[in-house]
Amino acid sequence: MAQLMGKSVPRTEDERFLTGRGSYVANMLPPGTVFAKFVRSPYAHARIVHIDTARAAALPGVLGVFTAADLKGEIGSIFTAWLIPNSNLKTPPYLALAKDIVRYAGEAVAVVVAEDPYVAEDARELVEVTYDSLPVVVDGEAAMKAGAPPLHAEAPNNVAFHWVNPGIGDVDAVFKEADVLVSQRFVNQRLQPAAMEPRAAIAQYEPGTKDLTLYVTSQNPHVHRLVLSLVLGVPEHRLRVVAPDVGGGFGSKIPVYPWEAVVCWLAMRLGRPVKWVEDRTENFLATVHGRDHVQYVDLAAKKDGTILGIKISSFANMGAYLSTAGPGVPTILFGFMPGGCYAIKAGKVEVTGVFTNTTPVDAYRGAGRPEASFIIERMVDILARKLGMDPAEVRRKNFIPADKFPYQSALGLVYDSGNYERAMRKALDIVGYQKLRQEQGQARKEGRLMGIGLSTYAEVCGLAPSAVSTGTGFQGGLWGSSTVRLSPTGKATVYTGAHPHGQGEETTFAQIVATELGLPLADIDVVHGDTKATPMGMGTYGSRTTPVEGGSVALSARKVREKARKIAAHLLEISEDDLEFVDGKFAAKGVPAKGKTIQEIAWAAYMAGAMPKGVEPILEASTFYDPENFVFPFGTHVCVVDVDKETGQVSIRRYVAVDDCGVQINPMIVEGQVHGGVLQGLAQAMLEQAVYDENGNLLTSNFMEYLVPSSLEAPNIETASTVTPSPHNPIGVKGVGETGTIASSQAYVNAVCDAIGVDHIDMPLTPEKVWRAVHKK
Ligand code: MCN
């Protein structure tokens, strides 16, 4: 069998991406396309008194200006798809175009359509909206206080939901056993996803067939189709959603946005293809934001460093409306993981979601799990400091032992496999931990600030199984789907329900099929992103694509192989049991020369004149794979920093990442994902923060104000791995797309706090904050 699993083959998709031959929505232009631009509110909270569209509509080239009044209920409210049970969830309407009241700066109040995008832009400026401003609240905790401006009549005190994970053990009892208690408030600041490609949509309607096609920047085209069909009343089988190449998403292209529904409605109303492409400022104002939690954490421990329990009270700023997956992120995706990789006896997590006059918040790389991992990894360091123990020693003492898997965690999940001690040992060996600690002692004597930060994270990903997704209120099963089809000449096409948008599965899924069927990589095509071509699928996010969709691909390929085995046995006139499959050829055991290649069997299955009894023509198989559990990657990251006392400037001297994502399909891609993920987590620790003023204006609405890291800030990332396969996944894989982000923020913050000798500094650690911490100002 051609063993392509585990090989660092170059990414097949890169040729088109790196030579400018990708196919992006913004580059498409169906004949007769007209252009939409949205008029967005400059107010964060205001009554809409009047909208005068006359001057805009009179501009030559304008086809129409539309407001909520024109929609006349033809577009339903955009709804959240994660209805968290037992949380008293409030779901106020989120209208495609605001009616009567706007609740965040950037909410759309009108749309202009013109023959030319520049005319549309000019016309947008001519729409005159009279607003009557209302009091504004942007801070999640402030929004719940008496007297705070109310956003929605159905949500008293602006509370969107209240959810509790009581855990399994008796948390109050373990807190009574404690010798030491440590408490800390954390602000996990709001972030703005900044995918290279902003959002875009083109809708095209065929009145003859009543077919509506939407080309859109989506991470999950079938989810887009389902939601838009319900919102627009277009039958699902008449709606085709195509997400072609997508230039990054990081979670922000999971949600279905109101304006995508408007673009569809306009195409049906005007009978012309309608195109909308957002610019960067619109992207920052009206594409979902991420994180924005305030957490109060208590940790109970023995004086020898044994951790007993954790209690968390978290406040999640949801923005003005609940986005598609919004409520699930700070609850389900956060609230089961703050025990990290430790054998904690009991835990309790309480989460309150709050409405504010800010952009809605949804998934952003890691989505809930970076927030969980940050808390536990910071708390372990704070505990170590309080006890005067080495942070590595406290971790080692509390790790879930390698022989205790599958492990029932105190917060309610069953971790599939792990060996935390081995990953930490490897990272500490690579970085030379003992020597670094000695050097640090010497540096301190000389008045220099040097810090070492550890992050021994465990995370949950591979979002599935359906019993869990639906049991936690998600309005969809989470399984993987695929079809593997061999043409008569033995070339394979893989149709997947995933939609990679930079991660590289066109290559890794081909590697899976090549391994299972013994085909050359060049003979395999991976198709995704088109609801008309692919099986109903749940998309790409939550590092689910490889374990769940990839698992499905492996199972489909195995079904094809088993069918081919039957045909081969029939053609060779021997028993199936006497056949072996080596390098793409079925042959009698020990007689490889006489046999049938997979290509010959594909031809025979097409000709179909000599098939075994009861076997259908064509080599093709499909699988809907619903895994029995999540997968739990883990690892140890170590960050070594030097802090300049005079300026507060931090420089990263070393960054070592040891990650374990089970079996690796393509180690080069895994390394690339770790690099990108680490930098995204470091960006939160060092630089990024969405900032609103007290009137709800987003001050960070462009790249001058919202700082994403450049190669200058990026450290050299030294990567290594351990391999602990997932026992329940068909190919032993776990996800890796988010591990770097989930691990890295706290490695940096731990290092800086270690250098200065303080308990905590909230992110981002700007030079000013660091300087103040050094000088206790
Ligand atoms: N892989 C592998 N072996 C493994 C695990 C993964 O070879 N054991 C490979 C995969 O086959 C795939 C890549 O690594 O080529 C990432 O796979 P996976 O961990 O399954 O993650 P997903 O494909 O589900 O991607 C989602 C994840 C998330 S949640 C965010 S956010 C994110 C990320 O991936 N957004 C990205 N990485 C991104 N990378 C790019 N370029 N752009 C984004 O928007």
Side-chain angles (χ1 to χ4, degrees):
M1 200 181 293
Q3 185 50 265
L4 277 168
M5 288 273 285
K7 295 249 169 4
S8 288
V9 298
R11 304 197 333 164
T12 46
E13 48 272 75
D14 281 352
E15 186 168 337
R16 73 175 191 277
F17 291 158
L18 298 178
T19 57
R21 290 181 171 80
S23 160
Y24 298 93
V25 175
N27 301 125
M28 297 177 164
L29 200 61
T33 296
V34 294
F35 301 87
K37 297 279 176 191
F38 288 92
V39 179
R40 295 187 180 275
S41 169
Y43 287 88
H45 203 189
R47 222 174 285 287
I48 303 169
V49 179
H50 181 65
I51 305 179
D52 187 346
T53 59
R55 282 179 65 212
L59 197 70
V62 170
L63 295 166
V65 185
F66 305 93
T67 66
D70 301 295
L71 300 181
K72 293 190 208 85
E74 287 176 36
I75 305 181
S77 165
I78 298 291
F79 52 87
T80 179
W82 214 328
L83 307 175
I84 311 298
N86 307 318
S87 72
N88 202 10
L89 182 77
K90 310 292 186 206
T91 54
Y94 187 11
L95 300 179
L97 294 174
K99 188 168 163 289
D100 303 331
I101 290 183
V102 287
R103 295 182 176 85
Y104 68 93
E107 187 168 0
V109 294
V111 62
V112 173
V113 188
E115 296 281 355
D116 177 286
Y118 301 101
V119 174
E121 189 77 57
D122 289 346
R124 169 164 68 172
E125 301 297 317
L126 297 176
V127 176
E128 288 163 25
V129 188
T130 313
Y131 296 97
D132 186 4
S133 69
L134 292 166
V136 167
V137 62
V138 296
D139 178 84
E141 287 186 292
M144 294 183 304
K145 296 215 169 104
L151 266 80
H152 302 281
E154 38 295 75
N157 304 319
N158 293 316
V159 172
F161 55 81
H162 180 79
W163 176 85
V164 181
N165 175 9
I168 288 174
D170 183 343
V171 77
D172 292 329
V174 303
F175 265 70
K176 282 191 194 123
E177 289 171 32
D179 303 323
V180 197
L181 286 181
V182 280
S183 303
Q184 184 63 49
R185 176 181 187 265
F186 296 106
V187 177
N188 205 300
Q189 81 271 29
R190 179 179 284 239
L191 301 178
Q192 298 167 203
M196 205 183 289
E197 180 200 26
R199 284 176 310 120
I202 300 175
Q204 211 169 350
Y205 184 63
E206 289 297 333
T209 58
K210 298 195 170 44
D211 282 331
L212 177 66
T213 303
L214 175 69
Y215 299 91
V216 66
T217 48
S218 168
Q219 295 178 221
N220 32 229
H222 279 94
V223 174
H224 260 81
R225 185 180 71 166
L226 173 59
V227 173
L228 288 172
S229 142
L230 295 171
V231 166
L232 290 161
V234 174
E236 223 178 329
H237 65 300
R238 297 263 72 100
L239 179 54
R240 174 183 178 197
V241 175
V242 185
D245 289 329
V246 174
F250 309 107
S252 70
K253 291 168 183 166
I254 299 170
V256 180
Y257 290 89
W259 315 296
E260 293 158 355
V262 172
V263 170
C264 291
W265 179 83
L266 288 168
M268 291 190 283
R269 174 153 176 152
L270 300 173
R272 303 269 298 269
V274 177
K275 178 170 180 173
W276 163 68
V277 180
E278 68 180 3
D279 62 23
R280 185 57 68 185
T281 291
E282 194 175 12
N283 171 253
F284 278 160
L285 286 169
T287 290
V288 292
H289 293 173
R291 318 260 196 269
D292 206 344
H293 300 182
V294 176
Q295 293 129 340
Y296 295 84
V297 186
D298 299 303
L299 190 86
K302 291 284 195 197
K303 55 176 178 291
D304 70 351
T306 306
I307 303 171
L308 300 170
I310 190 164
K311 284 187 201 169
I312 297 171
S313 177
S314 175
F315 298 91
N317 186 341
M318 303 309 298
Y321 301 96
L322 297 180
S323 175
T324 309
V329 173
T331 53
I332 311 303
L333 296 179
F334 164 77
F336 291 98
M337 283 311 288
C341 53
Y342 308 111
I344 292 177
K345 283 184 175 172
K348 182 180 175 192
V349 179
E350 208 169 330
V351 183
T352 309
V354 189
F355 290 116
T356 64
N357 296 114
T358 59
T359 298
V361 175
D362 206 309
Y364 179 63
R365 199 169 193 169
R369 290 148 294 151
E371 296 91 319
S373 184
F374 186 83
I375 283 178
I376 185 67
E377 289 305 299
R378 287 269 42 244
M379 289 306 279
V380 169
D381 263 38
I382 297 171
L383 175 68
R385 191 171 129 76
K386 183 157 185 164
L387 295 174
M389 289 177 71
D390 185 313
E393 194 43 44
V394 178
R395 286 173 166 83
R396 193 173 290 117
K397 191 177 244 326
N398 288 285
F399 279 151
I400 298 162
D403 59 3
K404 289 281 185 290
F405 291 90
Y407 178 79
Q408 171 67 65
S409 84
L411 285 168
L413 293 177
V414 177
Y415 294 11
D416 61 347
S417 61
N419 190 332
Y420 305 140
E421 160 77 32
R422 180 171 59 173
M424 185 170 84
R425 205 179 327 122
K426 189 160 187 176
L428 297 186
D429 283 351
I430 293 171
V431 82
Y433 188 66
Q434 289 312 334
K435 240 178 118 207
L436 278 173
R437 283 285 176 214
Q438 285 160 12
E439 191 190 334
Q440 184 183 37
Q442 187 56 35
R444 277 191 182 141
K445 281 187 204 142
E446 293 164 14
R448 283 184 292 117
L449 300 179
M450 167 200 170
I452 308 160
L454 264 65
S455 165
T456 52
Y457 74 97
E459 67 123 331
V460 53
C461 70
L463 295 192
S466 302
V468 175
S469 70
T470 52
T472 59
F474 185 66
Q475 299 302 297
L478 282 174
W479 25 260
S481 63
S482 66
T483 295
V484 173
R485 180 180 297 162
L486 262 63
S487 69
T489 54
K491 313 292 182 203
T493 308
V494 182
Y495 300 88
T496 166
H499 184 43
H501 43 279
Q503 292 87 349
E505 273 94 354
E506 287 177 32
T507 305
T508 51
F509 281 11
Q511 286 180 263
I512 295 173
V513 173
T515 302
E516 298 290 342
L517 295 180
L519 289 168
L521 211 55
D523 285 2
I524 304 166
D525 185 30
V526 177
V527 176
H528 57 94
D530 183 346
T531 58
K532 206 140 197 162
T534 57
M536 176 73 206
M538 298 311 288
T540 286
Y541 45 83
S543 305
R544 66 184 303 278
T545 307
T546 308
V548 185
E549 306 286 342
S552 163
V553 168
L555 293 175
S556 291
R558 285 175 196 171
K559 286 180 192 169
V560 166
R561 193 175 68 214
E562 289 320 299
K563 183 170 177 179
R565 182 188 299 278
K566 282 193 170 47
I567 300 171
H570 183 70
L571 295 176
L572 295 167
E573 297 180 347
I574 54 173
S575 143
E576 273 180 60
D577 298 340
D578 294 335
L579 281 178
E580 60 182 4
F581 186 58
V582 181
D583 291 338
K585 191 177 194 180
F586 286 100
K589 282 178 191 152
V591 200
K594 201 168 152 293
K596 291 282 175 197
T597 63
I598 189 87
Q599 290 84 355
E600 286 170 319
I601 300 167
W603 182 259
Y606 153 73
M607 294 294 281
M611 297 287 276
K613 205 160 174 285
V615 177
E616 293 174 0
I618 292 293
L619 289 185
E620 171 170 335
S622 296
T623 306
F624 288 86
Y625 164 58
D626 203 341
E628 63 181 61
N629 193 3
F630 301 104
V631 289
F632 295 77
F634 60 91
T636 294
H637 288 206
V638 188
C639 182
V640 185
V641 299
D642 295 296
V643 176
D644 184 321
K645 275 183 169 175
E646 304 310 318
T647 62
Q649 193 71 39
V650 177
S651 49
I652 299 180
R653 194 197 291 187
R654 299 276 300 277
Y655 194 99
V656 172
V658 174
D659 295 281
D660 191 320
C661 60
V663 173
Q664 298 184 11
I665 301 174
N666 186 319
M668 179 198 70
I669 293 182
V670 165
E671 193 183 356
Q673 285 293 317
V674 170
H675 278 205
V678 165
L679 195 56
Q680 220 154 340
L682 289 177
Q684 174 166 18
M686 301 189 295
L687 292 170
E688 294 187 20
Q689 179 169 28
V691 181
Y692 283 97
D693 71 10
E694 67 282 4
N695 294 320
N697 296 306
L698 182 66
L699 300 180
T700 46
S701 62
N702 58 59
F703 278 137
M704 290 295 285
E705 313 293 344
Y706 189 80
L707 298 181
V708 294
S710 70
S711 54
L712 286 179
E713 287 80 28
N716 177 38
I717 301 166
E718 302 167 53
T719 56
S721 54
T722 57
V723 175
T724 310
S726 167
H728 65 83
N729 182 277
I731 41 179
V733 297
K734 302 181 180 186
V736 76
E738 295 160 299
T739 54
T741 311
I742 290 168
S744 58
S745 306
Q746 62 267 16
Y748 183 86
V749 179
N750 283 348
V752 176
C753 290
D754 179 54
I756 304 173
V758 292
D759 268 354
H760 184 62
I761 310 171
D762 272 323
M763 300 184 290
L765 271 56
T766 58
E768 182 190 338
K769 280 195 207 166
V770 173
W771 185 88
R772 284 183 190 283
V774 172
H775 297 279
K776 315 254 179 306
K777 300 241 170 170

